[in-house]
């Protein structure tokens, strides 16, 4: 008797694991069990196609991140649940990837619906086209196109979804999403990324949920900046509207540091990214710090996560999130705090601790987000904390979501 799982077994086992962690709409679960991911990843062992991991399909010769990859299946499922595509709808996907997500969308909208997927890279678009043809989804429209332009000739769309990281909501998308239509995108601000579900209500987009995620950034948006410190062993990643001056911070890590500790504790497998999210809704100084092993070896205080921890930066001082094991007998043995460098480091560390404390009082809360075109009148802005990008304004508000 051969007990080796078949490809179908592996597909269903993966979906079983995803559903056990996060209940899905029946239509999304059915699509995941129907579409053959391995057919979109030729040359890969089918067993590897059904692990909950991303798979690179095109490397980037000029950087560490791939040009294109097949997204983590559980993230694909989460975003499709956010999108809530219905039979007969017209859907636009930005980022064709392997064509796998477009095939799932085709299952969701059915034969009466339409799916258009676009990708700026000719090789990626061709890969998607061939995979979709091979698996019986010839009706999906694949276009080699800058996704920031969308595909107005086939709009308006009931649903739009981006499967690449987006720093700004491009102006052309506003005209292509029908009023009442839904947009799901991995939106990046202040160094962190959330998959945000937005519904168009006239001249604005309003959220009803956001989830932590990470995606390869879209080509053509350059709103994030990087400041290299300590001979390039430490990097700050910040938005173009933030006043970060690397010259003022040149010697900041040569100064003594100050630690401040909160009363908040976490378990080893407990996410604390909500601290970062909450801080962005109140504090314009929040960005991301990346500390290399070389810097750690030179005595720089270890961030909570060396490659991606929230920091606050003002002038020639900064502070960032740290963690230490506090009580091995407790259910949550790790204590959260902040370390500050520079003359105002202690004050900034206390500021970050205040964000930790606020998060700890309601760890699952997420802000309400309103997105408006960049030219929207100030009188039209809802109450909350505003972040200005090139093509849009974002307003974040925790009070509204807790009401």
């Amino acid at each position: 008797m051969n007990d080796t799982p078949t490809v179908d077994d592996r597909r269903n086992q993966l979906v079983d694991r995803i559903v056990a962690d996060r209940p899905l709409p029946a239509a999304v679960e059915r699509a995941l069990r129907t579409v053959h991911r391995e057919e979109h990843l030729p040359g890969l062992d089918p067993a590897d196609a059904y692990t909950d991991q991303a798979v690179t399909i095109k490397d980037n010769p000029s950087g560490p991140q791939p040009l294109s990859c097949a997204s983590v299946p559980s993230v694909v499922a989460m975003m499709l649940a956010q999108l809530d595509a219905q039979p007969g709808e017209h859907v636009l996907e930005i980022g064709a990837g392997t064509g796998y997500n477009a095939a799932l969308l085709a299952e969701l909208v059915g034969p009466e619906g339409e799916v258009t997927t676009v990708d700026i890279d000719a090789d990626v678009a061709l890969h998607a086209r061939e995979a979709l043809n091979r698996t019986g989804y010839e009706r999906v429209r694949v276009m080699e196109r800058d996704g920031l332009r969308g595909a107005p000739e086939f709009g308006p769309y009931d649903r739009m979804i981006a499967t690449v990281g987006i720093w700004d909501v491009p102006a052309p998308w506003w005209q292509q999403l029908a009023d009442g239509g839904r947009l799901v995108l991995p939106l990046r601000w202040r160094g962190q990324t959330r998959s945000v579900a937005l519904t168009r209500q006239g001249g604005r987009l309003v959220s009803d949920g956001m989830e932590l995620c990470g995606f390869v950034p879209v080509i053509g948006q350059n709103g994030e900046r990087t400041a290299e410190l300590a001979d390039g062993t430490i990097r700050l990643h910040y938005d173009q509207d933030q006043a970060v001056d690397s010259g003022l911070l040149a010697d900041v890590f040569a100064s003594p540091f100050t630690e401040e500790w909160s009363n908040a504790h976490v378990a080893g497998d407990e996410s604390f990214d909500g601290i970062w999210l909450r801080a962005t809704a109140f504090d314009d100084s929040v960005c991301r710090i990346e500390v290399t092993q070389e810097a750690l070896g030179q005595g720089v205080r270890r961030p909570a996560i060396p490659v991606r921890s929230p920091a606050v930066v003002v002038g020639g001082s900064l502070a960032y999130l740290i963690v230490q094991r506090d009580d091995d007998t407790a259910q949550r043995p790790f204590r959260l705090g902040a370390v500050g460098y520079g003359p105002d480091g202690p004050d900034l560390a206390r500021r970050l601790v205040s964000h930790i404390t606020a998060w700890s009082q309601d760890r699952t809360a997420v802000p309400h987000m309103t997105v408006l075109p960049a030219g929207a009148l100030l009188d039209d802005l809802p109450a909350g904390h505003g972040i200005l990008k090139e093509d849009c304004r974002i307003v974040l508000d925790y009070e509204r979501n807790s009401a």
Side-chain angles (χ1 to χ4, degrees):
M1 180 177 179
N2 187 357
D3 293 329
T4 302
T6 66
V7 173
D8 288 345
D9 290 337
R10 294 185 186 279
R11 182 181 315 109
N12 285 314
Q13 288 166 1
L14 173 61
V15 178
D16 289 344
R17 291 193 295 272
I18 293 172
V19 172
D21 290 337
R22 178 194 299 271
L24 296 173
V28 173
E29 181 179 343
R30 184 167 55 251
L32 290 168
R33 295 188 189 278
T34 300
V35 178
H36 291 222
R37 188 173 189 249
E38 79 279 4
E39 293 289 344
H40 293 262
L41 298 167
L44 190 71
D45 186 324
D48 294 330
Y50 290 108
T51 58
D52 199 28
Q53 297 178 352
V55 178
T56 297
I57 62 170
K58 185 169 185 179
D59 290 320
N60 185 350
S62 61
Q65 291 184 311
L67 278 175
S68 185
C69 67
S71 299
V72 177
S74 58
V75 174
V76 170
M78 175 266 291
M79 293 182 68
L80 290 177
Q82 287 181 304
L83 189 68
D84 193 31
Q86 299 296 312
E89 291 186 330
H90 290 201
V91 180
L92 175 64
E93 178 190 36
I94 311 301
T98 65
Y100 172 66
N101 200 64
L104 292 168
L105 289 167
E107 288 289 335
L108 292 172
V109 302
E112 301 303 315
E114 289 186 9
V115 176
T116 301
T117 184
V118 303
D119 204 287
I120 196 171
D121 188 278
D123 292 337
V124 173
L126 179 60
H127 178 111
R129 177 71 278 162
E130 291 177 342
L132 288 161
N133 288 348
R134 186 168 58 247
T135 54
Y137 296 97
E138 297 90 346
R139 67 183 185 276
V140 173
R141 184 182 294 114
V142 181
M143 303 176 67
E144 181 189 336
R145 168 77 62 85
D146 181 354
L148 300 179
R149 293 168 47 201
E153 59 268 50
F154 301 110
Y157 300 97
D158 304 294
R159 299 285 191 271
M160 294 173 62
I161 184 170
T163 55
V164 287
I166 301 295
W167 184 82
D168 195 358
V169 180
W173 291 10
W174 290 86
Q175 287 74 45
Q176 296 175 42
L177 182 64
D179 196 12
R182 196 162 175 82
L183 168 65
V184 172
L185 74 168
L187 186 61
R188 189 169 184 82
W189 71 97
R190 303 310 191 226
Q192 50 99 58
T193 305
R194 300 275 163 167
S195 177
V196 184
L198 300 158
T199 299
R200 182 169 183 178
Q201 296 181 1
R204 61 180 58 189
L205 303 169
V206 297
S207 74
D208 58 21
M210 55 183 69
E211 302 276 357
L212 183 67
C213 67
F215 275 82
V216 174
V218 72
I219 294 173
Q221 287 188 339
N222 302 302
E224 193 170 60
R225 305 286 185 260
T226 299
E228 295 196 349
L229 309 175
D231 296 325
T233 63
I234 298 173
R235 303 176 188 91
L236 292 174
H237 303 277
Y238 60 98
D239 289 340
Q240 64 182 21
D241 66 314
Q242 294 179 289
V244 174
D245 187 336
S246 58
L248 296 176
L249 295 163
D251 299 321
V252 70
F253 289 100
S255 64
F257 60 77
T258 302
E259 293 184 2
E260 296 284 343
W261 292 98
S262 74
N263 292 320
H265 291 72
V266 293
D269 59 353
E270 185 176 2
S271 172
F272 44 81
D273 280 281
I275 298 166
W276 198 340
L277 176 61
R278 176 171 282 276
T280 69
F282 299 96
D283 195 331
D284 272 331
S285 69
V286 180
C287 59
R288 174 168 74 95
I289 194 167
E290 176 188 0
V291 179
T292 65
Q293 287 297 322
E294 183 179 355
L296 295 176
Q298 294 171 356
V300 173
R301 182 65 166 86
R302 187 186 189 279
I305 303 174
V307 296
R308 48 173 301 275
S309 285
V312 290
V313 181
V314 177
S317 303
L318 58 79
Y320 54 83
L321 188 68
I322 58 176
V323 61
Q324 70 176 13
R325 185 180 288 274
D326 195 44
D327 183 355
D328 286 337
T329 65
Q331 185 177 6
R332 288 173 163 166
F334 298 97
R335 190 179 187 184
L336 299 172
V339 62
Y341 284 89
D344 295 322
D347 288 339
L348 294 181
R350 285 190 287 271
R351 182 193 297 187
L352 189 48
V353 165
S354 72
H355 294 311
I356 296 170
T357 300
W359 163 81
S360 185
Q361 293 169 357
D362 187 355
R363 300 189 178 198
T364 62
V366 296
H368 182 271
M369 176 183 287
T370 305
V371 184
L372 300 101
L377 298 176
L378 293 178
D379 291 345
D380 292 336
L381 295 179
H385 182 77
I387 297 175
L388 181 62
K389 294 179 177 278
E390 291 181 356
D391 285 347
C392 75
R393 294 177 182 268
I394 293 173
V395 180
L396 298 167
D397 176 21
Y398 271 89
E399 294 300 323
R400 181 170 172 180
N401 257 12
S402 63

